[in-house]
Amino acid sequence: MKKLIVDEDGKRVDVYISKKIEGMSRVTVQRLLDEGNILVNNTMVKTSYKLKINDEIIIEDVEPKQVELKAQNIPLDIVYEDGDIIVVNKPKGLVVHPASGNEDGTLVNAIMAICKDSLSGIGGEIRPGIVHRLDKDTSGLLIIAKNDRAHINISEQIKNREIEKIYIALVRGNIPENEATIKMPIGRSTKDRKKMDVRKDGREAITHFKVIKRYEKYTLLEIKIDTGRTHQIRVHMAEIGHPVIGDEVYSNGKNEFGVKGQMLHAKRLKFKHPTQNKIMELEASLPKYYQDVLESLEKRL
Protein backbone atom coordinates (compact mmCIF):
# COMPACT_ATOMS: atom_id res chain seq x y z
CA MET A 1 0.00 0.00 0.00
CA LYS A 2 1.18 3.52 -0.82
CA LYS A 3 -0.04 6.77 0.69
CA LEU A 4 0.25 10.22 -0.87
CA ILE A 5 -0.68 13.61 0.58
CA VAL A 6 -1.49 15.94 -2.30
CA ASP A 7 0.77 18.99 -2.60
CA GLU A 8 -0.68 20.42 -5.84
CA ASP A 9 -4.11 21.90 -6.36
CA GLY A 10 -6.34 21.20 -9.37
CA LYS A 11 -4.41 18.28 -10.90
CA ARG A 12 -6.27 15.32 -12.37
CA VAL A 13 -5.84 12.36 -10.06
CA ASP A 14 -4.56 10.02 -12.81
CA VAL A 15 -2.00 12.59 -14.01
CA TYR A 16 -0.83 13.38 -10.49
CA ILE A 17 -0.28 9.77 -9.43
CA SER A 18 1.48 8.75 -12.65
CA LYS A 19 3.95 11.60 -12.16
CA LYS A 20 4.50 10.93 -8.46
CA ILE A 21 5.06 7.18 -8.72
CA GLU A 22 7.82 6.08 -11.05
CA GLY A 23 6.87 3.30 -13.43
CA MET A 24 3.11 3.68 -12.97
CA SER A 25 1.46 4.71 -16.24
CA ARG A 26 -1.77 6.68 -16.52
CA VAL A 27 -3.43 3.59 -18.03
CA THR A 28 -2.51 1.59 -14.92
CA VAL A 29 -3.70 4.38 -12.63
CA GLN A 30 -7.01 4.63 -14.49
CA ARG A 31 -7.55 0.88 -14.19
CA LEU A 32 -6.74 0.88 -10.46
CA LEU A 33 -9.14 3.78 -9.95
CA ASP A 34 -11.87 1.94 -11.81
CA GLU A 35 -11.29 -1.22 -9.76
CA GLY A 36 -11.41 0.69 -6.49
CA ASN A 37 -7.76 0.08 -5.63
CA ILE A 38 -7.09 3.80 -5.42
CA LEU A 39 -9.13 5.90 -3.01
CA VAL A 40 -9.08 9.66 -2.40
CA ASN A 41 -10.06 10.54 1.16
CA ASN A 42 -11.29 6.93 1.47
CA THR A 43 -13.72 7.41 -1.44
CA MET A 44 -13.74 6.11 -5.02
CA VAL A 45 -13.31 8.89 -7.57
CA LYS A 46 -13.33 9.18 -11.36
CA THR A 47 -10.10 9.50 -13.35
CA SER A 48 -11.02 13.13 -14.11
CA TYR A 49 -11.30 14.05 -10.41
CA LYS A 50 -9.42 17.27 -9.62
CA LEU A 51 -7.31 17.00 -6.49
CA LYS A 52 -7.11 19.52 -3.67
CA ILE A 53 -4.20 20.34 -1.38
CA ASN A 54 -3.92 17.82 1.49
CA ASP A 55 -6.17 15.23 -0.15
CA GLU A 56 -5.10 11.76 1.00
CA ILE A 57 -4.54 9.16 -1.73
CA ILE A 58 -4.35 5.49 -0.80
CA ILE A 59 -3.03 3.11 -3.48
CA GLU A 60 -3.43 -0.60 -2.93
CA ASP A 61 -2.54 -3.66 -4.98
CA VAL A 62 0.20 -1.89 -6.92
CA GLU A 63 1.69 -4.37 -9.35
CA PRO A 64 5.42 -5.03 -9.66
CA LYS A 65 7.32 -2.85 -12.13
CA GLN A 66 9.29 -5.71 -13.60
CA VAL A 67 7.99 -9.19 -14.18
CA GLU A 68 9.74 -11.73 -16.35
CA LEU A 69 7.01 -13.38 -18.37
CA LYS A 70 7.64 -16.73 -19.96
CA ALA A 71 5.73 -18.64 -22.59
CA GLN A 72 4.26 -21.88 -21.26
CA ASN A 73 2.68 -24.76 -23.12
CA ILE A 74 -0.73 -24.73 -21.44
CA PRO A 75 -3.57 -26.30 -23.47
CA LEU A 76 -6.26 -23.83 -24.50
CA ASP A 77 -9.63 -24.18 -26.20
CA ILE A 78 -9.31 -21.65 -29.04
CA VAL A 79 -12.74 -20.70 -30.38
CA TYR A 80 -11.54 -18.19 -32.99
CA GLU A 81 -8.22 -16.78 -34.18
CA ASP A 82 -6.97 -14.48 -36.94
CA GLY A 83 -4.26 -11.85 -37.34
CA ASP A 84 -5.93 -9.37 -34.99
CA ILE A 85 -7.62 -11.30 -32.19
CA ILE A 86 -7.80 -14.66 -30.51
CA VAL A 87 -10.88 -15.78 -28.57
CA VAL A 88 -10.49 -18.57 -26.05
CA ASN A 89 -12.88 -20.59 -23.92
CA LYS A 90 -11.13 -20.14 -20.58
CA PRO A 91 -11.46 -23.08 -18.19
CA LYS A 92 -12.42 -22.61 -14.57
CA GLY A 93 -9.34 -22.33 -12.35
CA LEU A 94 -7.09 -20.58 -14.87
CA VAL A 95 -5.90 -17.12 -13.79
CA VAL A 96 -5.95 -14.58 -16.64
CA HIS A 97 -2.71 -12.72 -15.92
CA PRO A 98 0.23 -12.93 -13.47
CA ALA A 99 -0.26 -11.41 -10.04
CA SER A 100 0.94 -11.96 -6.51
CA GLY A 101 0.71 -15.69 -5.82
CA ASN A 102 0.21 -16.50 -9.50
CA GLU A 103 3.46 -15.49 -11.19
CA ASP A 104 3.06 -18.02 -13.99
CA GLY A 105 0.74 -20.76 -15.23
CA THR A 106 -1.73 -18.09 -16.39
CA LEU A 107 -3.70 -17.46 -19.57
CA VAL A 108 -1.11 -14.83 -20.54
CA ASN A 109 1.69 -17.40 -20.31
CA ALA A 110 -0.32 -19.78 -22.50
CA ILE A 111 -1.16 -17.09 -25.06
CA MET A 112 2.49 -16.06 -25.30
CA ALA A 113 3.39 -19.58 -26.37
CA ILE A 114 0.77 -19.44 -29.12
CA CYS A 115 1.17 -15.87 -30.35
CA LYS A 116 4.92 -15.40 -29.75
CA ASP A 117 5.61 -11.67 -30.17
CA SER A 118 2.26 -10.78 -31.77
CA LEU A 119 0.36 -9.39 -28.79
CA SER A 120 -0.72 -5.82 -28.07
CA GLY A 121 1.40 -3.99 -25.52
CA ILE A 122 -1.32 -1.67 -24.25
CA GLY A 123 -2.25 -3.94 -21.35
CA GLY A 124 1.22 -3.48 -19.87
CA GLU A 125 4.12 -5.81 -19.35
CA ILE A 126 2.18 -8.40 -17.34
CA ARG A 127 -1.09 -8.14 -19.29
CA PRO A 128 -0.08 -8.22 -22.97
CA GLY A 129 -3.13 -8.54 -25.19
CA ILE A 130 -5.61 -8.61 -22.29
CA VAL A 131 -8.59 -6.40 -23.15
CA HIS A 132 -11.04 -7.70 -20.53
CA ARG A 133 -10.95 -10.36 -17.85
CA LEU A 134 -12.81 -13.22 -16.24
CA ASP A 135 -12.38 -14.24 -12.60
CA LYS A 136 -10.15 -17.25 -11.99
CA ASP A 137 -13.10 -19.55 -11.33
CA THR A 138 -15.38 -18.16 -14.04
CA SER A 139 -15.19 -20.08 -17.30
CA GLY A 140 -16.00 -18.99 -20.82
CA LEU A 141 -15.19 -16.65 -23.68
CA LEU A 142 -12.39 -14.10 -23.52
CA ILE A 143 -10.95 -11.85 -26.25
CA ILE A 144 -7.18 -11.27 -26.56
CA ALA A 145 -5.79 -8.57 -28.86
CA LYS A 146 -2.80 -9.41 -31.06
CA ASN A 147 -1.98 -5.79 -31.87
CA ASP A 148 -2.53 -2.31 -30.47
CA ARG A 149 -5.08 -1.34 -33.13
CA ALA A 150 -7.28 -4.30 -32.20
CA HIS A 151 -6.80 -3.61 -28.49
CA ILE A 152 -7.90 0.04 -28.82
CA ASN A 153 -10.92 -0.89 -30.94
CA ILE A 154 -12.18 -3.65 -28.62
CA SER A 155 -11.57 -1.43 -25.58
CA GLU A 156 -13.68 1.32 -27.16
CA GLN A 157 -16.48 -1.15 -27.86
CA ILE A 158 -16.41 -2.22 -24.21
CA LYS A 159 -16.36 1.40 -23.04
CA ASN A 160 -19.32 2.26 -25.28
CA ARG A 161 -21.21 -0.87 -24.19
CA GLU A 162 -21.29 -2.22 -27.74
CA ILE A 163 -20.17 -5.75 -26.83
CA GLU A 164 -22.88 -8.17 -25.78
CA LYS A 165 -21.77 -10.51 -23.00
CA ILE A 166 -24.07 -13.36 -22.00
CA TYR A 167 -23.41 -15.57 -18.97
CA ILE A 168 -25.08 -18.68 -17.56
CA ALA A 169 -25.32 -18.85 -13.77
CA LEU A 170 -26.79 -21.34 -11.32
CA VAL A 171 -27.89 -19.46 -8.22
CA ARG A 172 -29.26 -20.41 -4.84
CA GLY A 173 -32.97 -20.12 -4.20
CA ASN A 174 -36.04 -19.81 -6.38
CA ILE A 175 -36.26 -16.42 -8.09
CA PRO A 176 -39.93 -15.46 -8.58
CA GLU A 177 -39.41 -12.93 -11.40
CA ASN A 178 -39.02 -14.30 -14.92
CA GLU A 179 -36.64 -11.48 -15.71
CA ALA A 180 -35.35 -8.33 -14.03
CA THR A 181 -32.60 -5.71 -14.04
CA ILE A 182 -30.28 -4.99 -11.12
CA LYS A 183 -28.87 -1.46 -10.93
CA MET A 184 -26.59 -1.17 -7.92
CA PRO A 185 -23.24 0.69 -7.86
CA ILE A 186 -20.22 -1.45 -6.99
CA GLY A 187 -16.96 -0.48 -5.33
CA ARG A 188 -14.08 -1.98 -3.39
CA SER A 189 -15.04 -3.12 0.11
CA THR A 190 -13.57 -1.01 2.90
CA LYS A 191 -13.67 -4.02 5.24
CA ASP A 192 -11.97 -6.53 2.95
CA ARG A 193 -9.94 -5.11 0.06
CA LYS A 194 -10.13 -8.41 -1.82
CA LYS A 195 -13.91 -8.11 -2.05
CA MET A 196 -16.34 -5.79 -3.81
CA ASP A 197 -19.50 -4.35 -2.28
CA VAL A 198 -22.62 -2.49 -3.31
CA ARG A 199 -21.83 1.04 -2.16
CA LYS A 200 -23.23 4.50 -2.91
CA ASP A 201 -19.93 5.91 -4.13
CA GLY A 202 -19.22 2.90 -6.34
CA ARG A 203 -19.22 2.68 -10.14
CA GLU A 204 -22.48 2.23 -12.02
CA ALA A 205 -23.23 -1.47 -12.49
CA ILE A 206 -26.14 -2.89 -14.51
CA THR A 207 -27.02 -6.58 -14.67
CA HIS A 208 -30.00 -8.05 -16.56
CA PHE A 209 -31.17 -11.60 -15.92
CA LYS A 210 -33.89 -13.92 -17.11
CA VAL A 211 -34.84 -17.35 -15.82
CA ILE A 212 -33.93 -20.35 -17.95
CA LYS A 213 -35.24 -22.97 -15.53
CA ARG A 214 -36.28 -23.28 -11.92
CA TYR A 215 -35.35 -26.24 -9.75
CA GLU A 216 -36.57 -26.89 -6.21
CA LYS A 217 -33.88 -24.86 -4.44
CA TYR A 218 -32.01 -23.32 -7.38
CA THR A 219 -32.53 -21.16 -10.45
CA LEU A 220 -30.63 -21.31 -13.74
CA LEU A 221 -30.19 -17.85 -15.23
CA GLU A 222 -29.10 -16.22 -18.45
CA ILE A 223 -27.35 -12.99 -17.49
CA LYS A 224 -26.41 -9.99 -19.63
CA ILE A 225 -24.19 -7.26 -18.26
CA ASP A 226 -24.06 -3.67 -19.55
CA THR A 227 -21.06 -2.84 -17.37
CA GLY A 228 -18.04 -4.94 -16.47
CA ARG A 229 -17.26 -4.20 -12.84
CA THR A 230 -15.05 -6.55 -10.88
CA HIS A 231 -17.12 -9.50 -9.55
CA GLN A 232 -20.26 -7.71 -10.81
CA ILE A 233 -22.57 -10.69 -11.32
CA ARG A 234 -21.41 -12.40 -8.14
CA VAL A 235 -21.92 -9.25 -6.04
CA HIS A 236 -25.31 -8.40 -7.53
CA MET A 237 -26.72 -11.90 -7.18
CA ALA A 238 -25.48 -12.19 -3.59
CA GLU A 239 -26.95 -8.77 -2.78
CA ILE A 240 -30.46 -9.83 -3.85
CA GLY A 241 -30.16 -13.02 -1.82
CA HIS A 242 -29.41 -15.45 -4.65
CA PRO A 243 -25.62 -16.04 -4.65
CA VAL A 244 -23.97 -18.04 -7.41
CA ILE A 245 -23.50 -21.70 -6.44
CA GLY A 246 -19.89 -22.49 -5.54
CA ASP A 247 -18.95 -18.85 -4.86
CA GLU A 248 -16.71 -19.10 -1.82
CA VAL A 249 -16.34 -15.30 -1.46
CA TYR A 250 -19.89 -13.97 -1.64
CA SER A 251 -21.89 -16.96 -0.39
CA ASN A 252 -21.86 -18.62 3.02
CA GLY A 253 -24.20 -21.35 1.91
CA LYS A 254 -23.46 -25.05 1.83
CA ASN A 255 -21.93 -26.29 -1.42
CA GLU A 256 -23.79 -29.55 -1.81
CA PHE A 257 -22.50 -30.23 -5.32
CA GLY A 258 -18.86 -30.26 -4.29
CA VAL A 259 -18.09 -27.58 -6.86
CA LYS A 260 -15.01 -25.47 -6.22
CA GLY A 261 -15.49 -22.03 -7.69
CA GLN A 262 -18.64 -20.27 -8.83
CA MET A 263 -20.96 -21.83 -11.41
CA LEU A 264 -20.69 -18.89 -13.77
CA HIS A 265 -19.91 -19.33 -17.46
CA ALA A 266 -19.40 -16.65 -20.14
CA LYS A 267 -21.37 -18.43 -22.86
CA ARG A 268 -21.76 -15.90 -25.65
CA LEU A 269 -19.97 -12.85 -27.07
CA LYS A 270 -21.24 -10.55 -29.80
CA PHE A 271 -18.95 -7.78 -31.05
CA LYS A 272 -17.68 -6.07 -34.17
CA HIS A 273 -14.38 -7.38 -35.53
CA PRO A 274 -11.76 -4.66 -34.90
CA THR A 275 -10.55 -4.44 -38.52
CA GLN A 276 -12.91 -6.46 -40.74
CA ASN A 277 -16.05 -4.49 -39.81
CA LYS A 278 -18.14 -7.66 -39.46
CA ILE A 279 -20.27 -8.78 -36.54
CA MET A 280 -18.81 -11.72 -34.62
CA GLU A 281 -21.11 -14.03 -32.62
CA LEU A 282 -19.28 -16.74 -30.70
CA GLU A 283 -20.47 -19.34 -28.19
CA ALA A 284 -18.85 -21.76 -25.75
CA SER A 285 -20.70 -24.78 -24.37
CA LEU A 286 -21.05 -25.29 -20.64
CA PRO A 287 -18.13 -27.21 -19.05
CA LYS A 288 -18.78 -30.89 -18.35
CA TYR A 289 -18.88 -30.46 -14.56
CA TYR A 290 -21.56 -27.79 -15.03
CA GLN A 291 -23.60 -30.04 -17.31
CA ASP A 292 -23.28 -32.87 -14.77
CA VAL A 293 -24.70 -30.68 -12.00
CA LEU A 294 -27.65 -29.66 -14.17
CA GLU A 295 -28.32 -33.28 -15.08
CA SER A 296 -28.36 -34.23 -11.39
CA LEU A 297 -30.91 -31.44 -10.78
CA GLU A 298 -33.06 -32.64 -13.67
CA LYS A 299 -33.24 -36.10 -12.10
CA ARG A 300 -34.63 -34.58 -8.91
CA LEU A 301 -37.60 -33.00 -10.70
Side-chain angles (χ1 to χ4, degrees):
M1 183 179 76
K2 289 184 179 293
K3 179 178 177 181
L4 298 175
I5 302 298
V6 176
D7 56 6
E8 295 182 66
D9 193 50
K11 285 275 190 180
R12 276 179 56 123
V13 61
D14 56 341
V15 174
Y16 182 85
I17 294 173
S18 63
K19 287 185 176 180
K20 286 291 185 179
I21 300 181
E22 184 180 355
M24 184 173 284
S25 68
R26 281 183 68 181
V27 172
T28 298
V29 173
Q30 290 167 358
R31 177 177 53 76
L32 292 174
L33 282 163
D34 189 57
E35 293 175 351
N37 282 317
I38 296 179
L39 300 179
V40 178
N41 301 323
N42 204 36
T43 300
M44 293 179 67
V45 297
K46 296 182 178 180
T47 57
S48 59
Y49 176 82
K50 298 293 181 65
L51 294 165
K52 303 176 183 63
I53 296 289
N54 292 326
D55 275 350
E56 181 183 77
I57 301 173
I58 300 295
I59 306 168
E60 296 197 40
D61 196 28
V62 179
E63 294 167 346
K65 298 176 187 176
Q66 296 182 347
V67 176
E68 185 179 350
L69 279 180
K70 56 185 178 181
Q72 293 178 303
N73 186 21
I74 301 170
L76 287 179
D77 178 8
I78 298 174
V79 178
Y80 177 85
E81 181 179 10
D82 62 24
D84 295 301
I85 59 173
I86 180 169
V87 181
V88 302
N89 178 15
K90 187 188 84 68
K92 183 183 67 156
L94 182 64
V95 176
V96 171
H97 58 77
S100 177
N102 293 286
E103 286 75 18
D104 59 13
T106 71
L107 178 66
V108 165
N109 297 106
I111 290 295
M112 287 181 67
I114 296 169
C115 300
K116 311 302 181 188
D117 296 327
S118 59
L119 283 173
S120 80
I122 293 175
E125 58 187 355
I126 68 171
R127 299 168 185 250
I130 300 301
V131 186
H132 65 120
R133 293 175 295 161
L134 291 175
D135 298 335
K136 174 185 176 183
D137 287 323
T138 296
S139 59
L141 296 174
L142 193 69
I143 307 170
I144 294 97
K146 286 188 172 184
N147 54 63
D148 289 356
R149 179 184 177 188
H151 196 128
I152 292 169
N153 182 282
I154 296 296
S155 295
E156 283 298 309
Q157 290 187 58
I158 292 173
K159 180 181 177 181
N160 296 329
R161 301 181 184 178
E162 296 169 348
I163 294 183
E164 184 178 278
K165 303 175 184 177
I166 302 295
Y167 295 76
I168 303 297
L170 183 66
V171 302
R172 184 173 303 283
N174 208 295
I175 298 179
E177 301 90 351
N178 288 330
E179 55 185 271
T181 295
I182 305 169
K183 294 183 179 180
M184 298 177 181
I186 291 175
R188 186 73 56 180
S189 170
T190 55
K191 297 178 181 179
D192 183 347
R193 301 298 295 166
K194 293 181 180 180
K195 295 178 65 175
M196 307 299 286
D197 276 340
V198 169
R199 45 185 294 176
K200 292 181 180 179
D201 66 341
R203 299 280 190 248
E204 179 187 38
I206 302 173
T207 302
H208 311 278
F209 70 80
K210 62 181 180 180
V211 172
I212 297 175
K213 189 155 190 176
R214 293 182 179 90
Y215 301 97
E216 184 181 358
K217 299 179 181 179
Y218 311 96
T219 308
L220 186 66
L221 301 175
E222 178 181 281
I223 297 177
K224 178 179 177 291
I225 57 173
D226 288 351
T227 51
R229 306 306 174 202
T230 301
H231 301 173
Q232 177 175 320
I233 294 173
R234 299 162 61 192
V235 171
H236 273 172
M237 297 315 301
E239 186 69 19
I240 67 170
H242 297 283
V244 179
I245 297 300
D247 191 337
E248 298 176 357
V249 177
Y250 298 103
S251 172
N252 295 322
K254 177 184 175 184
N255 183 357
E256 58 269 61
F257 299 108
V259 174
K260 180 176 174 57
Q262 59 274 1
M263 292 190 67
L264 183 61
H265 177 71
K267 181 182 180 181
R268 187 161 70 247
L269 277 177
K270 183 178 179 181
F271 60 98
K272 182 180 287 187
H273 191 281
T275 62
Q276 298 176 19
N277 200 34
K278 65 180 181 180
I279 299 299
M280 306 286 295
E281 293 188 63
L282 302 172
E283 288 201 13
S285 299
L286 290 173
K288 186 179 184 304
Y289 83 90
Y290 206 136
Q291 295 180 38
D292 289 344
V293 169
L294 295 183
E295 285 178 11
S296 70
L297 288 173
E298 290 286 344
K299 292 177 182 178
R300 300 182 191 180
L301 294 177

